[in-house]
Amino acid sequence: MRMIPLGNSGQKVSSIGLGCMGMSDLYGPSDRAESIATIHAAIDAGITLLDTGDFYGMGHNEMLIGEALKGRLRDQVQLSVKFGALRDASGTWLGYDARPKAVRNFLAYTLQRLGVDYIDVYRPARLDSDVPIEDAIGAIADLVKAGYVRHIGLSEVGPQTIRRAAAVHPISDLQIEYSLISRGIEDEIVPVCRELGIAVTAYGVLSRGLISGHWQRGDAKSGDFRAMSPRFQEGNVERNLALVEALRRIADAKGVTVAQIAIAWVAAQGEDIVPLIGARRRDRLAEALGSQAVDLDAGDISAIESAVPKNAAAGARYPEAQLVHMDSERQK
């Protein structure tokens, strides 16, 4: 596993990270034992970056990771944690809270659930429209000074907010969706990050399984985010799966899987972009790790982007009710 710099933060992370959300939330039932085994397999394979959020499963995901890390050396992993999303007992989303006192509160509970005494990268899950980003970043900066946080990240914010945040404290990385069919960050967001020495940790590199090569119509069950995601709806999903089949032909010619070529394409966009894979099982993890051996030359990149042209996806990446909270969508 290659280790690469996470922006100008001074820390190095594995060239691929593990996103753990699906082990607790949004994609239907998961197997606890298999989830823990998958985390162990990822660490054993050299993955150091584990991504979670304190609201994934209302704390379940952090406790799951904490259990998986028992008996492991703390410095084997870098924990990236999002905070601030509010939910009720039914799982309904209620908004975001990045008030300084809330930041301190969220961090205290996160440390307890994970069973650690510091977080490697701490980031607001979204921009709280009621709290200036300077106040939220300043609150995390105080936690850095106190030793509870090592680095500060951002998530789903646009160029102006990135600049304002970086003026308060160095930012290690921006976590944002990026894949062959979600390329909206390329025109303005990525250039600002590169100007400021901020890495991109890319989630959704397989578009929640849509371009994994494994997804079939009707797979989304009740309680699965994809059942209400625009790109999985009738009228859109057929067009998107046609893109997958075009990509499959290229993958087949190279002797790799659709998922592997899709992940490799993201990784090929720059050393400052770290794909986060959302594997919930060891077999999916092994497939994703295989992307590290996929070399794409200029001809391959051209063929892939011809098969899946920019802006070819049908449907938005989130339902409208969630897009309105995303600063990254408003500031393009």
Side-chain angles (χ1 to χ4, degrees):
M1 180 68 65
R2 291 186 305 116
M3 299 295 289
I4 59 176
L6 193 66
N8 290 341
S9 66
Q11 64 178 326
K12 288 191 173 183
V13 299
S14 52
S15 56
I16 194 168
L18 180 65
C20 299
M21 180 188 72
M23 298 176 182
S24 301
D25 214 350
L26 295 182
Y27 295 139
S30 60
D31 182 282
R32 186 179 189 87
E34 181 61 23
S35 295
I36 291 174
T38 300
I39 294 171
H40 287 167
I43 296 171
D44 292 342
I47 288 179
T48 65
L49 184 63
L50 303 181
D51 182 75
T52 185
D54 61 10
F55 50 92
Y56 292 166
M58 282 70 81
H60 176 276
N61 202 237
E62 290 181 327
M63 291 188 287
L64 180 77
I65 293 172
E67 182 177 346
L69 293 182
K70 287 180 180 177
R72 298 261 173 171
L73 296 175
R74 172 66 180 88
D75 61 6
Q76 280 187 292
V77 298
Q78 290 141 309
L79 298 172
S80 168
V81 180
K82 291 177 291 298
F83 71 88
L86 305 175
R87 305 177 74 176
D88 66 17
S90 69
T92 301
W93 302 93
L94 303 175
Y96 300 91
D97 189 351
R99 294 170 300 157
K101 64 181 179 181
V103 174
R104 294 190 294 271
N105 176 78
F106 289 136
L107 187 276
Y109 281 84
T110 281
L111 293 174
Q112 180 68 26
R113 285 189 291 256
L114 284 168
V116 298
D117 56 10
Y118 68 91
I119 301 302
D120 295 277
V121 186
Y122 202 49
R123 70 184 83 242
R126 298 287 186 270
L127 180 67
D128 180 347
S129 58
D130 294 326
V131 177
I133 190 64
E134 291 85 352
D135 292 356
I137 298 302
I140 308 174
D142 289 341
L143 296 171
V144 172
K145 292 176 183 175
Y148 296 120
V149 171
R150 294 284 173 86
H151 304 279
I152 301 178
L154 295 169
S155 177
E156 286 290 356
V157 293
Q160 295 176 28
T161 303
I162 295 168
R163 291 188 185 280
R164 289 170 56 193
V168 176
H169 188 279
I171 303 299
S172 65
D173 66 308
L174 170 69
Q175 187 176 120
I176 197 163
E177 184 171 0
Y178 187 44
S179 73
L180 268 170
I181 64 171
S182 295
R183 296 177 60 181
I185 70 172
E186 292 179 342
D187 295 336
E188 296 185 29
I189 292 176
V190 169
V192 168
C193 287
R194 286 178 171 161
E195 174 192 336
L196 298 174
I198 297 170
V200 170
T201 42
Y203 76 87
V205 293
L206 297 179
S207 298
R208 297 164 184 82
L210 181 59
I211 59 171
S212 67
H214 303 296
W215 174 264
Q216 297 181 16
R217 290 174 60 185
D219 280 357
K221 309 301 181 185
S222 177
D224 189 322
F225 168 82
R226 292 167 291 199
M228 61 178 182
S229 174
R231 289 182 175 170
F232 290 83
Q233 303 305 304
E234 292 295 325
N236 291 336
V237 69
E238 300 89 349
R239 292 166 58 187
N240 293 330
L241 288 177
L243 297 174
V244 175
E245 292 312 305
L247 187 60
R248 192 186 304 277
R249 289 191 286 273
I250 298 172
D252 287 347
K254 286 190 69 69
V256 301
T257 70
V258 175
Q260 288 169 342
I261 207 166
I263 298 168
W265 179 87
V266 172
Q269 302 312 301
E271 282 286 304
D272 54 351
I273 296 178
V274 183
L276 296 175
I277 55 171
R280 303 197 297 172
R281 305 186 332 232
R282 283 169 287 181
D283 58 340
R284 293 287 190 253
L285 171 68
E287 180 183 25
L289 287 169
S291 69
Q292 299 281 280
V294 179
D295 292 321
L296 300 178
D297 60 26
D300 294 325
I301 296 292
S302 178
I304 290 167
E305 294 181 0
S306 293
V308 186
K310 190 173 183 177
N311 300 321
R317 60 193 183 101
Y318 280 93
E320 182 60 31
Q322 295 187 37
L323 284 176
V324 298
H325 293 290
M326 298 176 77
D327 184 68
S328 54
E329 292 292 317
R330 294 195 296 268
Q331 293 193 36
K332 288 182 181 177

